[in-house]
Amino acid sequence: EIVRIARDTTLLLCAAVWLAACGHSAARRANPALSELHVTSGTLTRAADGTLQIRSSMRAESELKADRVKLELAYLGAADTPQPLASGEIRRQIGIKLRARDSCNVVYVMWQIEPRSAIEVSVKSNPGLHTHVECGDRGYQFIRPELAVDVPAITLRVQRSLAARLQGRQLEVFVDRTLVWRGALPASAFDFDGPAGLRADNGRFNLRFVAE
């Protein structure tokens, strides 16, 4: 009887582990199809090798709510036709969107390339507003980190990675697997929710997008 109970317990544990692994696999999106990415601004295409291609400013969301997102990217240079931000600044950058309800309510993790190399985290919160026409560049809160280190400048055509990991209110950002930013998001970041996504401004990139 003791042997049977032990055997049954082992089978149940194995089943639980298998189900957990399946659930994790089902929730993971590595380089999703274009049909799984909702482009809200600009253009996103796929290269012959399967990587995603960005050639100018672009905004997109995936179909997955995720607290862990990674971009594996190669920077190919400035966009042919620069577009200023709403503030009027022309900045080259690429980044991750978290909890992206819409254009007015989203958490940004941005890797600035020009005019300087830096990680910037911000929460854009505009309760009751949903489109860029409604909110423009209003509602930004730039988050002061508890830890921040210098980020090596990006080099043309060299593979790099940017990853964000959100656990509760604590956000960690990694560049090339090295922790470069850590801080707590404000309560306003949790007044809304939505999927993960990506954003680029005034740069050309080839990349893979992984969310889980």
Side-chain angles (χ1 to χ4, degrees):
E1 181 67 20
I2 293 175
V3 172
R4 184 184 64 79
I5 292 173
R7 182 192 61 197
D8 292 346
T9 301
T10 300
L11 290 173
L12 287 172
L13 287 172
C14 289
V17 170
W18 182 84
L19 287 170
C22 289
H24 182 267
S25 175
R28 193 172 188 269
R29 295 290 186 274
N31 219 33
L34 289 179
S35 60
E36 297 178 279
L37 293 168
H38 176 52
V39 179
T40 58
S41 176
T43 302
L44 184 65
T45 60
R46 190 178 292 280
D49 65 358
T51 57
L52 299 172
Q53 294 181 314
I54 300 172
R55 295 296 178 260
S56 188
S57 298
M58 188 278 314
R59 312 284 188 274
E61 286 92 43
S62 70
E63 296 181 346
L64 180 68
K65 291 183 179 181
D67 292 331
R68 297 186 180 192
V69 180
K70 181 179 182 181
L71 304 181
E72 299 171 348
L73 62 96
Y75 173 56
L76 306 181
D80 294 333
T81 306
Q83 300 176 16
L85 303 179
S87 64
E89 179 186 6
I90 294 181
R91 182 190 303 168
R92 284 200 288 279
Q93 59 183 0
I94 189 165
I96 292 166
K97 301 168 73 171
L98 298 172
R99 306 179 63 81
R101 173 179 288 179
D102 46 48
S103 296
C104 298
N105 302 275
V106 57
V107 176
Y108 285 115
V109 179
M110 302 302 300
W111 185 353
Q112 297 181 11
I113 299 169
E114 292 287 348
R116 65 191 184 98
S117 180
I119 297 297
E120 184 176 77
V121 175
S122 62
V123 176
K124 187 177 184 182
S125 177
N126 293 274
L129 303 181
H130 304 286
T131 67
H132 183 73
V133 173
E134 294 176 316
C135 64
D137 63 350
R138 298 187 300 276
Y140 277 99
Q141 180 180 354
F142 296 94
I143 311 306
R144 184 184 299 275
E146 301 164 2
L147 175 148
V149 301
D150 292 337
V151 179
I154 201 165
T155 305
L156 285 173
R157 301 184 183 279
V158 173
Q159 288 295 128
R160 307 294 295 275
S161 66
L162 172 68
R165 181 172 65 192
L166 182 61
Q167 296 177 299
R169 290 182 57 180
Q170 194 77 7
L171 177 68
E172 294 179 329
V173 181
F174 300 82
V175 169
D176 303 330
R177 298 185 179 181
T178 298
L179 178 65
V180 297
W181 193 102
R182 183 176 63 226
L185 297 183
S188 59
F190 302 92
D191 290 339
F192 53 84
D193 195 9
L198 60 153
R199 166 182 174 169
D201 291 289
N202 297 311
R204 295 180 290 120
F205 303 88
N206 285 358
L207 61 88
R208 295 182 183 274
F209 174 88
V210 180
E212 56 184 353

